[in-house]
Amino acid sequence: MIIGCPKEIKPQEFRVGMTPNAAGEAVAHGHRVLIETGAGKGAGFEDSDYTDAGAEIAGTAADVFSTADMIVKVKEPQPGERKMLREGQVLFTYLHLAPDPEQTRDLIASGATCIAYETVTDDRGGLPLLAPMSEVAGRLAPQVGAWTLQKANGGRGVLMGGVPGVGPARVLVIGGGVVGTHAARIAAGMGADVTVLDRSLARLRYLDDVFGREFKTSYASAGNTIELARAADMIVGAVLIPGAAAPKLISRAQLSELKPGAALVDVAIDQGGCFETSRATTHQDPVYEVDGIMHYCVANMPGAVARTSTIALGNATMPFMLALADKGWKQACLDDPHLLDGLNIHAGQLTYFAVGKALGIDVVSPSIVVKQ
Ligand SMILES: NC(=O)c1ccc[n+]([C@@H]2O[C@H](COP(=O)([O-])OP(=O)(O)OC[C@H]3O[C@@H](n4cnc5c(N)ncnc54)[C@H](O)[C@@H]3O)[C@@H](O)[C@H]2O)c1
């Protein structure tokens, strides 16, 4: 198979769909890999890193799209890229179709087979190609929150770990899933006094069993949330209700009860945010103040550490990419129902029920399509 990887063109996207390591593995499996020149630059990979791994360099995205049997990317294809897709070609990338009717229409019209990272599943009910980005965002949250807490950045002027004779910062993490657990571990590692809130007792039990005294856990009732928030120097918003907007857990009126200069890091901003006063920001201008409280609300946090994020995503996508290339999409999906869960569109038909429901488009079951 010829596997193509174009340079990402969405603004502020520095990741790349294939690392030189992934390219090398595909070449070792007998495939040709075509990388657009400069595609890895934002993540710190030169063209020569790819050619050393056995890949070839293409001059333009058009060369990649017209030659490759399968396109491996990071972000959903932009309008110009969608025009270059063709029937029989496989597209493997993040798609997020439900809120994007225009993209969905274009991909259906292209005739291509589109497998979305975000809907591939694993046997524990998780989303293995979303988890690495939650891990990155979670671990980044205390790092950006610590910066926000510095006086010159508008914060309280509190050091995460304190010093001998001065207590540490208090960090409250709301939501103890992937983001929250990684945020709590890093904050605790920085020496902060950390509490994690969740609505799931099973999750709180798991955190208590695994992390013991590293951080405290508490049930996320409204009363507990505001009581712990009043005492916090930093609050990390890490809740998720699958398929729904994030619940608002701290209202504007409650900001006056928080410590002046406290830092709110709303990781859940990509689902609308879990603080009433959250609005999405960018890496160029990440922090703003409301009623004396600093808000960090960057919607694509992993972009700040594009190299780590690219490698983490590449590690997760590589086995699926190799299966698709080695067996062809049909056999790979027949052999692996979790990969079949990723099939969103095939040959002009929508094959993902939640997207069909959101957009009012007829859906053909993926289990039928894969056997045709
Ligand atoms: N900003 C970014 O760059 C970025 C990057 C990755 C993930 N995210 C977002 O971070 C959020 C968390 O993702 P995740 O992978 O950790 O999800 P997850 O499903 O692993 O964890 C979410 C947790 O929130 C808990 N929860 C739900 N409602 C709650 C409530 N009212 N109070 C307390 N806890 C509650 C759930 O029980 C669960 O444990 C999502 O919105 C995700 O989209 C953002």
Side-chain angles (χ1 to χ4, degrees):
M1 190 180 263
I2 303 175
I3 306 168
C5 176
K7 186 172 161 56
E8 292 298 320
I9 55 172
K10 193 165 180 179
Q12 296 305 313
E13 182 53 65
F14 298 106
R15 290 172 293 177
V16 59
M18 286 182 89
T19 60
N21 266 338
E25 294 256 354
V27 170
H29 280 231
H31 306 292
R32 259 182 81 193
V33 176
L34 203 55
I35 308 281
E36 183 182 347
T37 183
K41 201 147 186 82
F45 297 119
E46 300 298 330
D47 286 355
S48 58
D49 295 323
Y50 288 99
T51 51
D52 288 349
E56 298 160 47
I57 301 299
T60 64
D63 294 339
V64 174
F65 278 87
S66 63
T67 312
D69 304 307
M70 173 163 71
I71 299 289
V72 179
K73 273 174 54 61
V74 179
K75 282 298 197 187
E76 71 279 5
Q78 302 301 293
E81 295 175 317
R82 303 200 292 257
K83 287 200 185 87
M84 292 191 276
L85 289 166
R86 62 170 188 277
E87 193 165 347
Q89 200 167 38
V90 174
L91 173 67
F92 191 39
T93 190
Y94 287 120
L95 290 176
H96 296 289
L97 293 178
D100 195 346
E102 214 173 294
Q103 187 200 172
T104 306
R105 264 198 310 273
D106 287 355
L107 292 182
I108 290 173
S110 75
T113 299
C114 306
I115 301 174
Y117 290 165
E118 71 275 7
T119 65
V120 172
T121 54
D122 64 24
D123 50 16
R124 288 167 301 152
L127 300 169
L129 304 187
L130 267 189
M133 295 306 102
S134 286
E135 290 165 358
V136 168
R139 290 190 176 212
L140 191 56
Q143 188 173 315
V144 297
W147 182 88
T148 307
L149 275 178
Q150 291 175 30
K151 200 71 198 165
N153 302 323
R156 278 178 66 65
V158 169
L159 183 62
M160 289 289 272
V163 289
V166 183
R170 285 193 183 170
V171 174
L172 176 64
V173 178
I174 311 181
V178 181
V179 168
T181 305
H182 284 267
R185 291 192 66 192
I186 293 297
M190 292 167 95
D193 174 347
V194 182
T195 303
V196 178
L197 286 171
D198 205 290
R199 287 241 160 198
S200 158
L201 275 180
R203 188 65 192 174
L204 292 175
R205 277 194 196 103
Y206 164 84
L207 293 174
D208 187 72
D209 280 348
V210 173
F211 299 102
R213 302 232 170 96
E214 222 175 299
F215 49 79
K216 289 166 261 184
T217 58
S218 188
Y219 187 72
S221 62
N224 277 347
T225 303
I226 189 61
E227 189 182 325
L228 288 160
R230 281 189 203 111
D233 298 294
M234 182 195 303
I235 305 175
V236 178
V239 301
L240 177 66
I241 300 174
K248 303 290 178 222
L249 302 174
I250 296 184
S251 67
R252 171 148 199 178
Q254 288 173 324
L255 289 189
S256 63
E257 300 181 44
L258 307 188
K259 291 184 183 175
L264 305 189
V265 180
D266 200 346
V267 186
I269 189 67
D270 62 339
Q271 301 294 329
C274 57
F275 310 123
E276 189 186 356
T277 41
S278 294
R279 60 171 168 80
T281 59
T282 62
H283 293 294
Q284 274 65 44
D285 194 7
V287 177
Y288 63 94
E289 178 253 316
V290 179
D291 297 346
I293 304 299
M294 306 311 293
H295 294 57
Y296 174 102
C297 303
V298 173
N300 65 331
M301 290 176 69
V305 288
R307 187 174 172 87
T308 302
S309 300
T310 291
I311 298 170
L313 181 61
N315 292 343
T317 56
M318 184 149 61
F320 298 106
M321 178 271 290
L322 289 175
L324 289 166
D326 291 350
K327 303 175 180 180
W329 77 269
K330 230 176 222 188
Q331 192 58 47
C333 288
L334 280 169
D335 290 352
D336 182 355
H338 299 302
L339 183 56
L340 183 60
D341 284 337
L343 188 68
N344 277 229
I345 288 173
H346 171 66
Q349 294 165 311
L350 189 65
T351 56
Y352 198 80
F353 285 102
V355 174
K357 195 171 168 211
L359 299 179
I361 301 176
D362 289 342
V363 173
V364 181
S365 166
S367 53
I368 293 173
V369 163
V370 78
K371 288 184 190 132
Q372 276 167 358

